[in-house]
Amino acid sequence: MELNKYDLVEWLTSNFRNISCGDCPIQKECDEQERKRTGSSYLCLNEDKTREVIIKKYNL
């Protein structure tokens, strides 16, 4: 089975909830989002935002 970039983004997005914050590859982006907002902002809880960050970070 061949994966295209859309499949990769979907797979990564669906698996981000299983990654601890300390090991998260988009932790920096999550921290930046948290600074912009009050309260806690976890990108992994919002799949649309997670997709957006992954696409931007990895130029997919």
Side-chain angles (χ1 to χ4, degrees), residues 1-50:
M1 179 176 138
E2 240 180 85
L3 285 176
N4 61 37
K5 63 183 177 181
Y6 304 107
D7 293 333
L8 177 60
V9 170
E10 287 303 315
W11 183 83
L12 288 170
T13 300
S14 66
N15 286 291
F16 264 78
R17 290 186 185 173
N18 301 328
I19 298 174
S20 68
C21 289
D23 296 330
C24 184
I26 61 169
Q27 181 180 8
K28 179 182 173 187
E29 289 80 1
C30 193
D31 291 343
E32 288 172 2
Q33 288 289 324
E34 188 172 343
R35 282 187 220 127
K36 291 179 186 176
R37 309 172 103 198
T38 56
S40 62
S41 171
Y42 296 102
L43 291 175
C44 60
L45 299 178
N46 184 332
E47 289 186 356
D48 292 334
K49 291 260 187 206
T50 302

